[in-house]
Amino acid sequence: MTSRPVTRIDAKVAALSAEGRPALVTFVTAGDPDYDTSLAILKALPKAGADIVEFGMPFSDPMAEGPPIQASTLRALKAGQTMARTLQMVRDFRADDATTPVVLMGYYNPIYSYGVERFLADAKAAGVDGLIIVDLPPEEDDELCIPALEAGVSFIRLATPTTDDKRLPAVLANTSGFVYYVSITGITGTASADPTRVADAVARIKRHTDLPVMVGFGVRTGEQARAIAAAADGAVVGSALVNAVRDSLEDGRATARTVPAVTGLVEELAAGVRAASRAG
């Protein structure tokens, strides 16, 4: 492929590498539990210690997600979240933050419904840096991956414990930004990651690519983040943050505890990740 411009993801990864520390990547669902609260959470994440923020694009059939993220998606949809509102949320975030990488994560159906060309143009203009689309395999790269790369938006691929050395080259072929290693099999939010197995898997993936490897699924606490970050280029946390939102609600609505509940956990996770760099 031809060379592409340096993205916010590339710049952040390079800066963290220069510091000698792993990244903390945080996931929350756009529009959960409502637009204003969700935007407040998004804006607070970098200040709390998140290096890269992932925003879930609500979809009515999030088949790869466990109950926490499924529930957050339903809350967001009930509150009126749409693709257009998710892109507007990124624009609102960018009004105050020009540097933190923003990755949209979700499924192809809402993008297809919005229109691929229109979506990529609007996402790029809004300030989106990357996409993680869990239900588009490499065989479907012409659908979205290649157009995204041509538009200057990174396409981040998932690798799993079942992605063997024969499959990895196809998975990595058009991947950019970073590789997201799913540390456990199954749906999100259901088990804890094994740092030893993660370290072995990261080493195997790195034999195939120079891209950083971020590890998610099964990371809920600062100590778990430290252990995983020590074995990888970064830790990704989603279900625990979504649960923090859920547990702060009253009758499904945000309270004064909602934003602090998320940022408090992010601060703990960030401390764990930074401890990993000192340990290394």
Side-chain angles (χ1 to χ4, degrees):
M1 294 183 63
T2 57
S3 61
R4 58 185 183 83
V6 174
T7 68
R8 290 185 188 92
I9 297 173
D10 300 328
K12 175 62 70 173
V13 167
L16 293 177
S17 178
E19 290 179 33
R21 74 169 179 88
L24 173 61
V25 185
T26 58
F27 170 97
V28 290
T29 299
D32 175 31
D34 60 71
Y35 186 95
D36 290 341
T37 305
S38 185
L39 178 59
I41 290 170
L42 176 60
K43 288 184 174 183
L45 289 172
K47 299 180 183 71
D51 298 301
I52 298 172
V53 295
E54 290 180 10
F55 232 21
M57 298 177 286
F59 175 48
S60 58
D61 186 23
M63 57 190 174
E65 315 302 343
I69 294 179
Q70 286 189 17
S72 73
T73 291
L74 293 176
R75 287 193 298 268
L77 292 172
K78 185 178 180 181
Q81 192 71 9
T82 61
M83 180 65 77
R85 285 168 69 83
T86 297
L87 294 173
Q88 181 59 50
M89 201 169 283
V90 177
R91 283 191 287 271
D92 291 343
F93 172 78
R94 282 283 175 238
D96 301 317
D97 188 324
T99 59
T100 301
V102 174
V103 176
L104 296 184
M105 184 172 186
Y107 298 81
Y108 183 49
N109 184 280
I111 294 173
Y112 179 81
S113 299
Y114 191 90
V116 170
E117 186 173 344
R118 175 187 169 213
F119 169 78
L120 289 173
D122 289 354
K124 180 68 174 176
V128 172
D129 303 295
L131 299 173
I132 302 173
I133 308 301
V134 301
D135 57 346
L136 275 183
E139 289 75 17
E140 304 294 335
D141 273 0
D142 288 342
E143 287 284 333
L144 181 63
C145 175
I146 301 302
L149 295 177
E150 291 174 348
V153 177
S154 293
F155 201 86
I156 298 156
R157 193 82 71 185
L158 301 175
T160 74
T162 60
T163 309
D164 59 22
D165 286 327
K166 184 176 180 181
R167 180 64 174 166
L168 262 176
V171 169
L172 297 170
N174 292 312
T175 298
S176 60
F178 59 87
V179 180
Y180 185 155
Y181 179 66
V182 177
S183 62
I184 57 175
T185 55
I187 56 176
T188 58
T190 57
S192 296
D194 180 334
T196 301
R197 291 184 178 179
V198 166
D200 291 342
V202 169
R204 184 170 65 85
I205 293 169
K206 283 181 170 292
R207 289 196 289 269
H208 293 266
T209 182
D210 293 329
L211 289 170
V213 181
M214 310 294 180
V215 177
F217 284 49
V219 182
R220 302 184 188 86
T221 68
E223 179 56 30
Q224 289 173 333
R226 184 203 63 77
I228 293 302
D233 296 300
V236 186
V237 184
S239 293
L241 298 176
V242 167
N243 282 340
V245 173
R246 178 200 65 194
D247 294 344
S248 74
L249 304 179
E250 290 182 5
D251 298 323
R253 293 185 175 88
T255 67
R257 303 189 309 275
T258 300
V259 176
V262 178
T263 56
L265 179 53
V266 172
E267 288 168 0
E268 176 194 336
L269 295 164
V273 168
R274 284 158 177 75
S277 63
R278 289 194 297 271

